[in-house]
Amino acid sequence: SRGLVGLERLKDTSVMGVPVEGQEDGSVQESVNDASVPADNRGGLMSSDPQERLRCTVEYRKKLCVSDPPINEIIAEGVVPRFIEFLEHENDSELQSEAAWALTNIVSGTSEHVQVVVDA
């Protein structure tokens, strides 16, 4: 099952079509390299290419699925309004789900993080 902060154990080998890596005990956990999101991911969120928007949203979501997510840094990049826009993409349920997951992890932080999402 999925937690708000991250994925600890999964029965499947993918989440929303994104591969996950196997662990020694047979469980799987998402691969997250580090907490920094490449600058091109922000630009990719603005792309007209649906696959690029999804790829970048997944990257942000992965960065938010760690034990100490860089919520403030991601908010500072100004991407929260774009994630909210993606919720309206009724013809792209995968993008909607990834954006909702990223937003859920942002609001799992502090009351100030919640307020940023509400205000967006």
Side-chain angles (χ1 to χ4, degrees):
S1 72
R2 285 189 257 184
L4 290 178
V5 175
L7 300 173
E8 295 302 319
R9 292 178 161 251
L10 300 173
K11 293 179 182 173
D12 198 342
T13 59
S14 69
V15 175
M16 304 300 294
V18 178
V20 292
E21 297 179 358
Q23 302 296 305
E24 288 180 19
D25 66 358
S27 67
V28 290
Q29 184 174 14
E30 280 194 82
S31 174
V32 178
N33 295 331
D34 60 48
S36 62
V37 177
D40 65 326
N41 279 340
R42 185 175 187 282
L45 291 178
M46 304 303 172
S47 174
S48 61
D49 177 8
Q51 290 300 332
E52 180 65 6
R53 286 193 308 258
L54 177 61
R55 183 193 68 76
C56 293
T57 302
V58 168
E59 286 300 313
Y60 275 104
R61 191 260 306 153
K62 284 181 179 181
K63 301 305 178 186
L64 289 161
C65 286
V66 296
S67 60
D68 186 21
I71 297 173
N72 290 329
E73 291 83 356
I74 289 174
I75 287 172
E77 291 185 37
V79 298
V80 171
R82 190 66 169 155
F83 292 149
I84 291 172
E85 286 177 31
F86 291 163
L87 298 178
E88 297 176 7
H89 287 224
E90 295 175 4
N91 60 339
D92 193 344
S93 61
E94 191 170 11
L95 180 63
Q96 283 180 317
S97 180
E98 290 291 340
W101 193 352
L103 289 167
T104 298
N105 287 341
I106 290 170
V107 300
S108 72
T110 66
S111 59
E112 289 83 11
H113 297 144
V114 172
Q115 194 60 52
V116 167
V117 173
V118 169
D119 290 345

